[in-house]
Amino acid sequence: MSTLGDDELSLVLKWVYDQNDRKSFSQVCKQWLRVEGLSRLSIRVLEPDLIPNFIPRFPNLLFFESQIFIPDSHLEFVAKTCPRLQVLNLNLRKTLEEFDEVDGISGSEDVGDDGISALANGCRNLTKALLRKRTNVGNAAVISLVRLCKNLTSLDLGRCSLVDDQAVEAIGCSNSIRVLNLEACSLITDHGLAVLATGFVSKTLKKLVLAECDRITDSGVSMLKHMCCLEELNLAECGPKITDSGGLVVSSLASLKKLNLAWLINLSDVTVIAIAENCVNLVAIDLTGCELVTGVGVRAFGNHESLEYLVLASCHSICMEDLSIVVRCQSLRDIVLDKGLRMWIPAAMQVHISMFCQLHWR
């Protein structure tokens, strides 16, 4: 084996998938340690403080993940050392408050605009940037990612509370992003949504999450009609300013396959019926907590040809007769009902529903 060169060892290592086996491989000798490092494509960092010590071994990384706090300086080091990175997953596993309460860790030194901007500048082949719950990340980081990483297709900014319309305007200029998560980015307004819906990104975006963006109103939602490729839309908990006026615009998006309208308390049967009639490709819809929705609206899905997943939790104006019509939808596979209704729906009716689809309680 000592006569094998680096290229031959790399070919052998391609057939070693188990991480423990790869670790054993790297412990044979210095040559094998070097080859294992050069061929490593992904890494999950559990101790960010040690990044300067071990990252130089892995210059060809394509996937970098860390679910805990990491300072800007260490991410800048990664940017200089691993220029081929394609996927950056920094989604936090817990919120800052959870860290403080459970672990006694402060997030004040967590990665922010400087670290992300440095990485965008050094790793321009990025296709995915997942930054959920990184509360120090703001507009400057987003602008750098969008402008420098021309192949960026997925951007998760969920609960990045500093992100506002300025960042959304930059995203609107992208012609590559297909998945965008802006959950709980509460500074985003109708203006930002309008720019997003009319920019270049409107021609490529497939999935858009706006859940808990409570400054958005019917005015902003009405601009979504320009997103001709949108397949997944999440407007859950966006507040009472979204009514049937915005709901009817959503129903005009014929390309929609998944739709979450949970807790939009001012949406009524008018919106639901329009969605059932116009969104012929719809596979899943969540109407949790839509208090104004009744059996009249829900029955409209009885003849739908694509719907597979229907959520009606906390919808209290639905009766057994309504359900018996809904389950006639031949494509329906799963229906979720409010657990409070369980005692009121006869066992025979529950069995009847289960004959057509899987019944769940929430």
Side-chain angles (χ1 to χ4, degrees), residues 50-329:
L50 300 179
I51 282 178
N53 297 333
F54 64 78
I55 279 296
R57 276 190 58 216
F58 313 115
N60 296 314
L61 287 178
L62 300 180
F63 183 101
F64 181 93
E65 177 183 3
S66 181
Q67 297 182 347
I68 54 182
F69 294 139
I70 178 171
D72 281 330
S73 58
H74 287 359
L75 209 57
E76 291 168 2
F77 186 83
V78 171
K80 295 177 182 178
T81 310
C82 309
R84 298 179 60 199
L85 274 185
Q86 295 179 6
V87 177
L88 175 69
N89 185 353
L90 295 182
N91 283 349
L92 272 182
R93 59 186 175 91
K94 294 188 286 187
T95 63
L96 174 58
E97 290 77 12
E98 290 171 328
F99 271 116
D100 287 342
E101 292 175 1
V102 178
D103 305 294
I105 300 173
S106 172
S108 60
E109 300 301 321
D110 189 31
V111 63
D113 288 343
D114 291 343
I116 299 299
S117 296
L119 196 133
N121 186 52
C123 306
R124 301 198 178 193
N125 292 323
L126 278 180
T127 60
K128 292 184 179 181
L130 311 178
L131 306 172
R132 170 175 283 270
K133 298 182 182 178
R134 299 288 178 173
T135 55
N136 292 338
V137 171
N139 295 334
V142 177
I143 292 171
S144 294
L145 283 168
V146 173
R147 290 181 178 175
L148 298 175
C149 303
K150 301 300 184 180
N151 297 318
L152 193 66
T153 60
S154 183
L155 180 58
D156 188 346
L157 299 171
R159 304 195 177 278
C160 293
S161 55
L162 297 180
V163 171
D164 62 23
D165 288 344
Q166 185 181 356
V168 176
E169 289 179 12
I171 294 171
C173 296
S174 168
N175 57 10
S176 62
I177 295 178
R178 297 167 60 88
V179 177
L180 177 61
N181 186 353
L182 297 172
E183 178 183 359
C185 293
S186 57
L187 297 180
I188 294 174
T189 69
D190 289 339
H191 171 73
L193 191 53
V195 174
L196 191 72
T198 56
F200 292 117
V201 75
S202 66
K203 309 302 181 184
T204 62
L205 201 61
K206 299 287 187 182
K207 179 177 180 179
L208 176 61
V209 179
L210 294 168
E212 298 182 48
C213 292
D214 54 10
R215 296 194 184 189
I216 292 175
T217 71
D218 282 336
S219 177
V221 173
S222 68
M223 298 302 294
L224 295 178
K225 61 187 177 183
H226 298 290
M227 293 189 165
C228 56
C229 300
L230 199 62
E231 296 180 357
E232 296 185 40
L233 176 63
N234 188 338
L235 293 172
E237 299 183 69
C238 279
K241 295 180 180 179
I242 296 180
T243 69
D244 285 330
S245 177
L248 289 174
V249 174
V250 171
S251 73
S252 69
L253 298 172
S255 58
L256 278 181
K257 293 182 179 180
K258 295 183 179 181
L259 178 61
N260 191 336
L261 301 175
W263 300 106
L264 296 183
I265 59 174
N266 285 324
L267 289 186
S268 73
D269 293 331
V270 173
T271 291
V272 176
I273 293 172
I275 290 171
E277 293 177 350
N278 301 326
C279 299
V280 296
N281 298 309
L282 194 67
V283 174
I285 184 169
D286 189 339
L287 297 172
T288 298
C290 293
E291 301 173 354
L292 299 181
V293 173
T294 71
V296 175
V298 173
R299 289 184 184 207
F301 288 111
N303 296 318
H304 203 280
E305 297 182 354
S306 300
L307 190 67
E308 297 179 6
Y309 188 73
L310 175 62
V311 183
L312 299 172
S314 297
C315 293
H316 303 294
S317 300
I318 297 170
C319 65
M320 289 184 291
E321 289 75 14
D322 302 323
L323 296 176
S324 65
I325 293 177
V326 171
V327 296
R328 294 177 187 174
C329 175

